[in-house]
Amino acid sequence: MSERIEGHGGALALAALRGHGVREMFTLSGGHVFPLYDAAHQAGFPLYDVRHEQSAVFAAEAVAKLQRRPGLAVLTAGPGVTNGISGLTSSYFNASPVLVLGGRAPQFRWGAGSLQELDHLPLVTPVTKHAETIAHAADVPRAVGVALTTALTPHRGPVFLDLPLEVAFSVADADLPAVAPIAPIEADPAEVAEAAALIAEGRRPVLVAGSDVYAGDAVEPLRAAAEALAVPVFTNGQGRGALPPEHPLAFTRSRRVALQKADVVVVVGTPLDFRLNFGDFGAATVVHVVDAPSQRAGHVQPAVAPAGDLRLILSAFAEYFGDRVDHTEWVAELRAVEDAARARDAVAMAAETDPIRPARVYGELRRVLTRDAITIGDGGDFVSYAGRYLEPAQPGTWLDPGPYGCLGTGMGYAMGARVTHPDRQVCVLMGDGAAGFSLLDVESLVRQRLPVVIVVGNNGIWGLEKHPMRAMYGYDVAADLQPELRYDQVVQALGGAGETVAKAADLGPALTRAFEAGVPYLVNVLTDPADAYPRSSNLA
């Protein structure tokens, strides 16, 4: 049953947005979208503004990722929209249900040279599930409903709507469509049964769970499936924390050994991309479980690839009653590797060396981060260590840029995380290279009283580029930053607080002060530029 409403284009849009669970707006002020601000102001709808449009989209994406509902960014015409395209693209690769509402030069003057006149759709269409220019104010609620339903339908992703100036400002009455639930995609039962049998009958199965497990609210079914089939679990992206670190089937440090020795590799809710050697696991049988048929890999041929609602597929795995192999010895073998690696890591995380080694930073962070802390990675080399040394204890507590690898997410993600969880710790792990992309948006956090802790690993170089380039050519160019730059003083100038730490023994007290400060606080850690994360290049 639809409801009849009246208002200008901004009011009509807001009514439809609220019906779909949108509860806040992220933006950078622009005249083309004033009616949306007016609607928000009149309704007491929370509005958060930033200093660069990319941060608005990243904040909306953080809300979408953490809360599994639509996030909203409102961008003014022309450069407002183009500044947000990196955020849209990251959302596309991360399957985040973000709606970007863009202002647009007036349609009735199109071609006459209005301010910021640009046809956005050809730019945003390749990185959205749906992109549309709304022609009439009365059509706004329908367009918002279609866009958000599309964004939330697996495989999820961002959508874009253009509001021409006259559409945004015009008054109309329109039907507010009822919001229908998203129907689950039913996987082929035969494929699900075949996949379950392969796992159960494998001698050395391994399960890798990714972000779609959290996005699809399938964490509990994942745990049930892992326990029923006694299969060791590794995670990436927002899959991290799906099994707590103390769970007997949760593994982090033995992944290389596990994937080298596995005879069955089950990848659930993440693509077979560069993070997983493009799906090449040697002689192992590959099972790829995805949330929609569109996510089946096209570059490799898994033995079976069930496609559908991950909750239903994983629940069916948990209920499998066919023949199975005892995996006790396999799990114990990986646990021995895991325990040995943990012992080595404990030594690295306690290292007293100066300059400070990145591992020590994470050793100190492990002491102060609570189990429900939201941890955000925005960087290359420095953040790579986080994947090894930090172990999220709960699902939905880890945010990183994802497979697109876009730097600059940090302050936007921090804003979205703080809005989502006002009473939790929010910690941004940032390389000094990444700091150049978004650090000015600390001002937005200060002004809107959104405290977060920022830990910068400051080695004065682009670590993931400098060391590989020297290995390739014997020299490096364009890979140096200003050494020992005082990023903490930048934050102080913007109204926050911070300090520089040069000695390992000073790390713990500095982090304690940061989390007690109640304002955006940056701990600028001078780390060893010779200590690069030991991993192969991702250039392929």
Side-chain angles (χ1 to χ4, degrees), residues 345-484:
D345 288 348
V347 174
M349 287 189 288
E352 294 288 349
T353 57
D354 295 318
I356 300 168
R357 303 190 69 174
R360 177 62 186 270
V361 181
Y362 291 104
E364 295 298 332
L365 275 168
R366 286 169 63 102
R367 300 175 191 273
V368 296
L369 289 174
T370 58
R371 286 181 69 85
D372 65 353
I374 307 299
T375 311
I376 296 162
D378 183 13
D381 183 58
F382 179 65
V383 174
S384 296
Y385 289 87
R388 180 179 184 91
Y389 296 117
L390 293 185
E391 299 177 75
Q394 297 180 9
T397 58
W398 171 260
L399 291 174
D400 63 25
Y404 189 53
C406 183
L407 299 185
T409 60
M411 295 302 95
Y413 276 8
M415 179 176 283
R418 174 53 69 217
V419 167
T420 296
H421 295 297
D423 299 323
R424 293 195 195 180
Q425 292 178 340
V426 175
C427 181
V428 182
L429 312 169
M430 182 177 283
D432 51 343
F437 286 80
S438 70
L439 198 58
L440 197 65
D441 257 314
V442 164
E443 188 277 334
S444 305
L445 299 172
V446 170
R447 178 166 38 83
Q448 293 166 104
R449 296 188 175 91
L450 300 170
V452 302
V453 171
I454 307 157
V455 180
V456 171
N458 185 350
N459 61 5
I461 61 173
W462 292 98
L464 290 185
E465 285 69 39
K466 186 179 181 74
H467 296 295
M469 191 173 184
R470 290 191 70 83
M472 288 180 188
Y473 301 116
Y475 68 87
D476 64 89
V477 296
D480 288 302
L481 301 168
Q482 188 177 142
E484 300 186 9

Side-chain angles (χ1 to χ4, degrees), residues 161-186:
L161 293 175
D162 246 342
L163 281 172
L165 195 72
E166 68 272 36
V167 172
F169 281 85
S170 294
V171 174
D173 60 336
D175 289 328
L176 186 64
V179 179
I182 306 297
I185 299 173
E186 299 277 352

Side-chain angles (χ1 to χ4, degrees), residues 189-530:
E191 292 182 338
V192 174
E194 181 182 355
L198 286 171
I199 303 168
E201 296 172 15
R203 292 172 48 246
R204 298 181 302 278
V206 169
L207 192 153
V208 180
S211 293
D212 291 339
V213 171
Y214 180 78
D217 198 17
V219 169
E220 291 304 322
L222 172 74
R223 292 180 186 175
E227 291 168 356
L229 296 170
V231 58
V233 175
F234 297 82
T235 56
N236 71 16
Q238 277 201 291
R240 301 185 72 194
L243 269 64
E246 64 273 12
H247 194 287
L249 293 172
F251 293 84
T252 58
R253 292 163 170 79
S254 54
R255 191 173 90 160
R256 178 172 298 186
V257 171
L259 293 179
Q260 286 175 343
K261 292 189 173 183
D263 62 352
V264 178
V265 176
V266 188
V267 178
V268 182
T270 195
L272 300 175
D273 58 17
F274 68 93
R275 296 170 297 174
L276 290 171
N277 200 34
F278 304 100
D280 182 358
F281 303 111
T285 298
V286 179
V287 175
H288 193 203
V289 182
V290 294
D291 65 359
S294 63
Q295 297 310 294
R296 288 184 169 124
H299 61 284
V300 293
Q301 185 60 55
V304 62
D309 189 301
L310 297 184
R311 293 169 297 187
L312 300 179
I313 295 171
L314 291 168
S315 294
F317 286 0
E319 295 167 0
Y320 177 77
F321 293 113
D323 295 337
R324 63 187 65 212
V325 170
D326 187 349
H327 301 145
T328 303
E329 290 187 8
W330 170 232
V331 172
E333 178 182 347
L334 291 182
R335 184 57 62 193
V337 175
E338 189 88 3
D339 290 344
R342 284 179 183 275
R344 292 191 298 271
D345 288 348
V347 174
M349 287 189 288
E352 294 288 349
T353 57
D354 295 318
I356 300 168
R357 303 190 69 174
R360 177 62 186 270
V361 181
Y362 291 104
E364 295 298 332
L365 275 168
R366 286 169 63 102
R367 300 175 191 273
V368 296
L369 289 174
T370 58
R371 286 181 69 85
D372 65 353
I374 307 299
T375 311
I376 296 162
D378 183 13
D381 183 58
F382 179 65
V383 174
S384 296
Y385 289 87
R388 180 179 184 91
Y389 296 117
L390 293 185
E391 299 177 75
Q394 297 180 9
T397 58
W398 171 260
L399 291 174
D400 63 25
Y404 189 53
C406 183
L407 299 185
T409 60
M411 295 302 95
Y413 276 8
M415 179 176 283
R418 174 53 69 217
V419 167
T420 296
H421 295 297
D423 299 323
R424 293 195 195 180
Q425 292 178 340
V426 175
C427 181
V428 182
L429 312 169
M430 182 177 283
D432 51 343
F437 286 80
S438 70
L439 198 58
L440 197 65
D441 257 314
V442 164
E443 188 277 334
S444 305
L445 299 172
V446 170
R447 178 166 38 83
Q448 293 166 104
R449 296 188 175 91
L450 300 170
V452 302
V453 171
I454 307 157
V455 180
V456 171
N458 185 350
N459 61 5
I461 61 173
W462 292 98
L464 290 185
E465 285 69 39
K466 186 179 181 74
H467 296 295
M469 191 173 184
R470 290 191 70 83
M472 288 180 188
Y473 301 116
Y475 68 87
D476 64 89
V477 296
D480 288 302
L481 301 168
Q482 188 177 142
E484 300 186 9
L485 190 65
R486 294 297 300 273
Y487 296 100
D488 55 312
Q489 292 183 351
V490 175
V491 169
Q492 290 170 14
L494 295 171
E499 59 188 286
T500 287
V501 177
K503 294 188 175 297
D506 297 331
L507 270 169
L511 291 170
T512 298
R513 286 189 289 272
F515 282 106
E516 293 175 350
V519 297
Y521 195 110
L522 188 144
V523 181
N524 184 41
V525 186
L526 304 184
T527 58
D528 188 351

